[in-house]
Amino acid sequence: MDSRPGEAVPTFWNGSEPRSEARRFRSLVDAVDAVVYHLDAEGYVLAANTALSDATGYSKEELRGDHISRLVADETVERIICTSEDGSEPSASGEVVDIAFTTADGETVPFEMQATPFVIDGQFHGTVGIGWQRPARCDGASTTDPKPPTDDLLKVVFEEIDSGAFILDDELRIAWADETVCRYFGLDRDDLLGRDKPTALIETVADAVEDDAEFTERLLELYEDNASSARFECHVTARQNRQERWLEHSSRPIDSGQFAGGRLELYTETTEQKRSNDALEETEERFQSLVDAVDEYALFRLDTDGRVISWNRGAEKIKGYEAADILDEHISIFYTEDDRAAGVPDENLARALAEGSFETEGWRLREDGTLFWANVTITAVFDGEGNHDGFLKVTRDMTDRHRREVELESELQQMLGRISDAFIGVDRALRFTHVNERAEVLLDHTEEELLGETLWNVFSGTELEDVRKAFQRAMNDQTPTSIEFYHETLAIWIEATLYPSETGVSVYFRDVTEQRTYERKLEESNERLEQFAYAASHDLQEPLRMVSSYLMLIESRYADALDEDGKEFIEYAVNGADRMRDMIDGLLDYSRVETRGDPFEPVELNDVLGAVCDDLCIKIDEQEAEITVEDLPRVLGDAEQLRQLLQNLLENAIDYSHDDPPRVSVTAERKDDRWVIAVRDEGIGIESDDIDRAFEVFENLHGPDVSGSGIGLALCRRIVERHDGDIWIDSTAGEGTTVSFTLEAAGDPDE
Amino acid sequence: MSELDLEDPTEHILLVEDNPGDIRLTQEAFEASQIDNTLHVVTDGVEALDFLHQRGEYTDAPRPGIVLLDLNLPRKDGEETLDSIKTSSPDLSRIPVIILTSSRAESDVVRSYDLQANAYLTKPIDAEEFVRTVERFRDFWLEDVELPPNEEGRS
């Protein structure tokens, strides 16, 4: 670099000022990082500091005297030379401009320079330039570099808000990218500035987004159309230099100001909302599967009419219906017939709607028709606007608890009863330890008299042997025992319950003389009745025999002497006698059911029915009767009486048929520990009004033409009653009759 | 006096029955069954024993080979009479006594056999049935069965 010959410019730098101050200042200028130089009014370098020298690779001496244009491109020269003292030229107005110095090696180094007019005592002395090196760009520098926002406030705003922002210039280069957007996308700001956005988008920015292809496409479209975008979501994936985020993109063209023609792109974080939305969805899903997983409670929704619109595992378990079968059914399907007839289902729904929520307990029907005791809560559900939206129903199967409650209640009743009982306590040696008031009365002794005495000293008598044994047994087995006995001395019947313990026995007892006498009287009465019935029928037989036998003799011996009328008269008489005989036979059987009955034992009904059919085989053949029999079970009973029972019913079934050959069926059905046997015929049936009378003795419902002693059903009922069963008739006049009765199952392990 | 008749011990049959209707029926039944053995009739237990012991008004009575005894008798009822017959001397006690009665009561049956009745027949209400019973009686007791020979003389 040559200096201009002859020109000795008095400069600040040459040291015309007091040395020490100048030297100090010179050192200061040299010390700063910034490049500092002084240009004259034409732009020749008057002085330069070490930094400039270092940056450009020229020595200070070389730099001095050279025109600044040697270092920078021609176009930029204007910008860094002040040409007037007030800096009014726009080209060098004190703004920071981007330039590039060409170094001694021919390389370019980017700088930000600020040119200010140098004025001393009102005199313009050229330009002072101060600047800093700009970090290098990776791609080729463009000649006109985009400018960052100059408004500091805007800058602050952008830096402070959560949105990431890109400002693109009119050539879609990234004029500016704020700290936030760089953080969001995990990008280096320096890499971005000045780059062509579309390219940057494809090469780096889009990588951060999960659906990068879609993201890229959308943005490129926007750039092409230069349109305002609707907001759309991008999912930024997590990497080493960035977190997973959800961002909302919005962008629009910039119409005015520094960046007119460019675009503003904003990315607002929505991760929290997204997460809470997702969380809400997940919560709902988890809630649904929780509801479903609950299998101890039936939890389901109803629509406003009360139809089932959801179902859970608990509902399936408790009520027995599968979801597909129950959806859209009305809840009244769960209620018993009685409840339905009384309108209970709709009533419950109405109450739930009126009160918000309604709890009740009652019997409900399962799918298989069985009943269970349910605890039910119905809650009315409303939508966001307060409109009725349906119901929520929660049902619990409380059958066990209900049964226990019922048991407890009866136990309670028993206990209460016991309070009015007499009570004594004895120790292991059977000495009185406690005597309550009632006991004092019954035993006719005061407590003082009894305490300490043994039971047997006070009450002796051989008839108490059973009682003594009962006490022994109770104490040995340590189980409660009940006994009933007659106490001679006190002249009362006593029913006592012994509760043994480690220390003795507690005895609750009461005077049951009245009951016993009543029962005894009843038994005696029954016996006398039976005896009477027996005697009556027995004694009636003899005269009957006379009538019957002699009529027959007349019939056989004097047939010829009799005209038609005569024969008819005799026939009526014989018929009458026959019927009387049947009645008497029936009465005898009836009266002997209790007294002549055998003790119960297991009976194979199949065998019994076989014997009956054998006995009736003539009748069966004559009438061409068809008897259909199911496999019959083993029951507990008196075989002979069961034979009478079945014979009667079968005979009835055959006799009371239409003119068609009788069709009879015998079936058996299990109900808990009983069997229900049914004898069904398709005969003339019984009028519903008459069914009640059918079981009465001698009630003949079909008139004298149809045979029958009139005692069959009465006898059947007596036999079934002796077997502790029930008997009933279902019949439709003209269609047939079914007589059903129950017997105790014989406790076969296979059944 | 009875004649010694070793060929047919049942030539004489004694019926002990108080009901004239039943007596007649039995007679008719015998006729219908073509039983021509002689049927003697007494109407109560005392007379029956007199007949069997051949005393009182029955000193000339023949010894019956079979006795048909009703239980329902006046003065001395059937069971007493039966007991009396079966506990007398061998020549009387060995005579088969068939209870012929209207009672079906189990207790009567048991008691009769306890007292050594040889058989127990219930009188059917049906007359035809009664004839058939008598026919069977005839077949069994009068034709098939071997009866002890009738001895003459007093017991």
Side-chain angles (χ1 to χ4, degrees):
Chain A
M1 208 179 207
D2 298 317
S3 39
R4 288 232 323 244
E7 180 111 21
V9 179
T11 70
F12 171 72
W13 309 103
N14 290 19
S16 54
E17 277 70 41
R19 268 199 139 63
S20 56
E21 222 177 286
R23 202 184 302 123
R24 258 202 303 269
F25 200 74
R26 221 175 290 136
S27 315
L28 177 66
V29 169
D30 264 342
V32 299
D33 263 341
V35 304
V36 184
Y37 57 76
H38 182 194
L39 306 176
D40 67 12
E42 272 94 43
Y44 285 93
V45 179
L46 293 176
N49 75 343
T50 316
L52 183 64
S53 162
D54 287 342
T56 56
Y58 293 111
S59 68
K60 287 186 190 171
E61 286 71 30
E62 287 172 308
L63 288 170
R64 239 181 274 139
D66 247 354
H67 195 264
I68 193 67
S69 56
R70 275 292 186 109
L71 295 176
V72 299
D74 286 331
E75 310 92 83
T76 48
V77 168
E78 280 187 349
R79 302 227 231 111
I80 55 173
I81 297 180
C82 300
T83 52
S84 70
E85 52 185 63
D86 60 3
S88 58
E89 297 297 304
S91 52
S93 54
E95 287 173 13
V96 177
V97 297
D98 286 340
I99 58 157
F101 287 122
T102 314
T103 66
D105 302 324
E107 295 192 8
T108 49
V109 189
F111 264 86
E112 286 174 347
M113 295 304 302
Q114 190 173 31
T116 347
F118 191 39
V119 177
I120 306 177
D121 300 332
Q123 273 220 305
F124 177 69
H125 281 281
T127 313
V128 172
I130 303 180
W132 287 265
Q133 187 165 6
R134 269 193 301 125
R137 279 168 299 182
C138 38
D139 60 350
S142 69
T143 45
T144 50
D145 301 319
K147 306 169 216 175
T150 51
D151 190 3
D152 284 327
L153 187 61
L154 203 62
K155 225 168 148 182
V156 164
V157 166
F158 272 125
E159 295 294 353
E160 287 301 310
I161 62 175
D162 258 344
S163 292
F166 282 113
I167 296 186
L168 310 181
D169 69 5
D170 53 0
E171 281 168 41
L172 292 183
R173 287 175 303 196
I174 301 173
W176 190 71
D178 73 348
E179 159 68 37
T180 312
V181 80
C182 292
R183 185 160 40 96
Y184 282 172
F185 285 91
L187 300 167
D188 209 328
R189 197 193 209 158
D190 296 328
D191 288 345
L192 291 171
L193 291 176
R195 280 178 76 173
D196 173 60
K197 181 71 167 50
T199 322
L201 169 68
I202 295 166
E203 286 183 12
T204 37
V205 178
D207 281 346
V209 178
E210 183 154 15
D211 284 318
D212 53 338
E214 195 187 314
F215 181 70
T216 310
E217 207 184 295
R218 280 182 97 147
L219 287 192
L220 288 179
E221 241 180 67
L222 285 172
Y223 296 154
E224 209 169 293
D225 301 337
N226 200 23
S228 282
S229 79
R231 294 158 193 254
F232 63 87
E233 225 170 44
C234 2
H235 183 197
V236 171
T237 55
R239 284 283 180 277
Q240 240 184 345
N241 56 353
R242 63 173 189 261
Q243 284 177 344
E244 185 195 11
R245 272 172 227 281
W246 283 91
L247 304 172
E248 192 182 71
H249 162 108
S250 69
S251 58
R252 59 190 245 323
I254 301 176
D255 298 321
S256 60
Q258 192 183 353
F259 298 100
R263 285 186 72 78
L264 173 65
E265 248 179 51
L266 284 179
Y267 291 91
T268 323
E269 182 159 14
T270 59
T271 312
E272 280 309 305
Q273 273 150 279
K274 179 92 185 141
R275 287 233 176 88
S276 68
N277 273 345
D278 281 349
L280 189 65
E281 247 180 66
E282 207 187 301
T283 309
E284 266 195 46
E285 265 174 41
R286 261 188 278 134
F287 181 69
Q288 199 46 52
S289 49
L290 180 72
V291 165
D292 188 63
V294 168
D295 64 358
E296 291 305 310
Y297 288 70
L299 280 169
F300 54 98
R301 290 200 303 278
L302 308 171
D303 66 9
T304 49
D305 291 324
R307 284 178 204 287
V308 178
I309 54 176
S310 84
W311 204 239
N312 81 329
R313 212 176 301 164
E316 200 176 307
K317 186 168 147 194
I318 290 176
K319 292 179 182 275
Y321 291 93
E322 285 191 25
D325 299 328
I326 193 62
L327 288 176
D328 217 36
E329 291 287 340
H330 194 263
I331 52 157
S332 47
I333 200 178
F334 303 130
Y335 288 78
T336 62
E337 254 188 66
D338 292 335
D339 280 349
R340 264 180 271 163
V344 173
D346 285 322
E347 215 179 271
N348 287 354
L349 288 177
R351 269 188 83 170
L353 184 56
E355 297 168 20
S357 178
F358 169 60
E359 186 179 337
T360 180
E361 277 197 13
W363 292 106
R364 294 287 182 271
L365 270 176
R366 290 202 192 93
E367 195 251 353
D368 62 0
T370 56
L371 289 172
F372 69 97
W373 185 260
N375 177 292
V376 174
T377 310
I378 306 179
T379 310
V381 171
F382 299 91
D383 68 14
E385 280 136 45
N387 300 320
H388 180 215
D389 202 23
F391 300 90
L392 180 71
K393 192 157 181 262
V394 181
T395 304
R396 258 213 294 170
D397 184 340
M398 308 280 274
T399 314
D400 286 338
R401 200 190 78 175
H402 183 251
R403 194 191 6 241
R404 245 176 285 127
E405 274 175 19
V406 170
E407 274 173 28
L408 277 174
E409 239 193 77
S410 86
E411 265 181 52
L412 186 67
Q413 290 295 355
Q414 279 179 31
M415 282 206 300
L416 286 176
R418 211 158 278 135
I419 289 172
S420 59
D421 283 352
F423 170 79
I424 58 166
V426 293
D427 62 14
R428 290 196 68 84
L430 297 183
R431 283 188 293 248
F432 285 96
T433 56
H434 292 91
V435 182
N436 81 346
E437 266 186 52
R438 185 107 183 90
E440 285 183 319
V441 171
L442 280 184
L443 299 175
D444 208 20
H445 284 79
T446 65
E447 186 171 20
E448 283 121 38
E449 287 168 4
L450 294 173
L451 285 180
E453 297 287 334
T454 64
L455 206 52
W456 314 119
N457 278 348
V458 183
F459 305 104
S460 56
T462 47
E463 74 275 0
L464 295 178
E465 190 55 37
D466 289 335
V467 180
R468 205 191 311 264
K469 285 202 193 119
F471 268 89
Q472 284 308 123
R473 215 179 328 123
M475 284 199 290
N476 287 343
D477 299 346
Q478 285 289 309
T479 51
T481 315
S482 284
I483 48 172
E484 200 178 292
F485 61 96
Y486 182 72
H487 197 286
E488 290 270 0
T489 326
L490 299 170
I492 54 172
W493 277 94
I494 296 180
E495 179 190 76
T497 316
L498 313 177
Y499 293 97
S501 69
E502 294 295 303
T503 51
V505 187
S506 302
V507 186
Y508 288 93
F509 60 99
R510 58 168 85 106
D511 178 347
V512 292
T513 316
E514 246 183 71
Q515 272 153 279
R516 257 314 194 109
T517 0
Y518 176 74
E519 277 167 25
R520 178 60 52 79
K521 286 211 180 105
L522 196 64
E523 251 178 70
E524 283 173 13
S525 169
N526 266 340
E527 265 177 48
R528 273 199 299 267
L529 273 170
E530 286 200 350
Q531 281 168 8
F532 170 75
Y534 174 77
S537 48
H538 182 263
D539 291 347
L540 281 170
Q541 277 188 353
E542 198 267 328
L544 178 60
R545 216 160 24 80
M546 293 296 110
V547 168
S548 192
S549 309
Y550 282 104
L551 276 173
M552 273 191 266
L553 270 177
I554 295 175
E555 206 178 31
S556 59
R557 193 161 306 172
Y558 298 102
D560 301 331
L562 286 170
D563 64 354
E564 279 310 307
D565 282 349
K567 289 199 181 115
E568 214 181 302
F569 294 161
I570 295 214
E571 210 178 300
Y572 281 131
V574 169
N575 265 340
D578 280 346
R579 275 185 293 119
M580 203 166 133
R581 182 189 50 194
D582 285 342
M583 284 188 195
I584 290 177
D585 279 347
L587 256 183
L588 262 176
D589 284 340
Y590 185 89
S591 70
R592 288 197 247 172
V593 168
E594 283 298 330
T595 53
R596 291 287 203 95
D598 289 328
F600 289 170
E601 48 175 36
V603 174
E604 286 286 356
L605 282 182
N606 280 326
D607 296 340
V608 173
L609 191 63
V612 166
C613 287
D614 285 343
D615 286 346
L616 295 177
C617 69
I618 297 174
K619 185 175 244 165
I620 293 172
D621 284 339
E622 271 176 14
Q623 311 238 20
E624 290 172 35
E626 195 183 297
I627 321 260
T628 325
V629 183
E630 249 180 35
D631 196 26
L632 297 180
R634 236 161 137 245
V635 297
L636 214 55
D638 176 336
E640 176 53 34
Q641 288 181 344
L642 293 178
R643 192 198 60 77
Q644 279 178 305
L645 170 64
L646 282 174
Q647 183 145 340
N648 261 295
L649 294 179
L650 229 62
E651 256 182 307
N652 281 354
I654 297 172
D655 287 340
Y656 295 127
S657 65
H658 290 290
D659 298 321
D660 311 322
R663 286 232 288 273
V664 182
S665 72
V666 184
T667 56
E669 195 184 309
R670 183 83 186 233
K671 265 232 152 71
D672 298 327
D673 62 341
R674 314 219 128 231
W675 282 96
V676 181
I677 318 286
V679 178
R680 195 173 289 113
D681 71 65
E682 291 171 18
I684 58 184
I686 307 174
E687 294 285 345
S688 52
D689 296 336
D690 291 340
I691 288 182
D692 290 330
R693 289 196 297 135
F695 285 110
E696 301 302 320
V697 175
F698 294 149
E699 284 287 347
N700 206 330
L701 304 168
H702 302 289
D705 286 339
V706 184
S707 68
S709 68
I711 203 167
L713 284 175
L715 178 64
C716 291
R717 183 170 67 174
R718 192 123 170 82
I719 291 176
V720 170
E721 276 172 6
R722 180 172 180 246
H723 283 73
D724 256 329
D726 296 307
I727 183 168
W728 66 96
I729 296 179
D730 296 296
S731 181
T732 314
E735 284 178 25
T737 307
T738 305
V739 182
S740 314
F741 57 94
T742 60
L743 292 173
E744 205 179 309
D748 189 323
D750 292 327
E751 282 164 8
Chain B
M1 294 298 291
S2 59
E3 290 146 351
L4 187 71
D5 189 336
L6 292 168
E7 286 176 29
D8 189 359
T10 65
E11 193 185 329
H12 301 277
I13 300 175
L14 177 63
L15 172 64
V16 189
E17 172 63 64
D18 73 318
N19 185 338
D22 275 324
I23 294 171
R24 182 63 195 274
L25 273 175
T26 311
Q27 284 165 337
E28 293 291 334
F30 264 56
E31 229 179 271
S33 314
Q34 288 158 347
I35 300 173
D36 44 7
N37 311 48
T38 316
L39 187 64
H40 305 263
V41 179
V42 292
T43 55
D44 65 46
V46 174
E47 280 192 17
L49 289 168
D50 283 347
F51 189 100
L52 286 168
H53 284 272
Q54 292 162 328
R55 61 180 182 222
E57 55 183 281
Y58 296 103
T59 46
D60 295 329
R63 176 65 48 79
I66 291 188
V67 177
L68 295 171
L69 176 62
D70 182 28
L71 289 178
N72 226 358
L73 299 169
R75 288 215 283 169
K76 194 177 234 170
D77 74 14
E79 279 179 9
E80 270 187 60
T81 313
L82 171 63
D83 193 28
S84 195
I85 296 171
K86 289 299 179 180
T87 53
S88 38
S89 54
D91 58 332
L92 277 189
S93 64
R94 68 167 74 103
I95 301 177
V97 178
I98 298 173
I99 306 295
L100 183 60
T101 184
S102 56
S103 169
R104 271 184 288 163
E106 203 177 292
S107 51
D108 292 336
V109 176
V110 171
R111 186 115 180 85
S112 303
Y113 279 107
D114 280 346
L115 295 171
Q116 306 303 304
N118 295 77
Y120 190 106
L121 272 178
T122 322
K123 279 185 264 196
I125 291 179
D126 193 322
E128 283 171 11
E129 174 97 36
F130 185 47
V131 170
R132 285 196 285 277
T133 306
V134 168
E135 282 172 352
R136 287 194 291 270
F137 158 79
R138 173 205 66 203
D139 291 341
F140 186 73
W141 284 99
L142 304 183
E143 289 171 20
D144 291 344
V145 162
E146 296 282 355
L147 287 171
N150 215 336
E151 287 164 11
E152 188 173 342
R154 291 179 180 264
S155 61

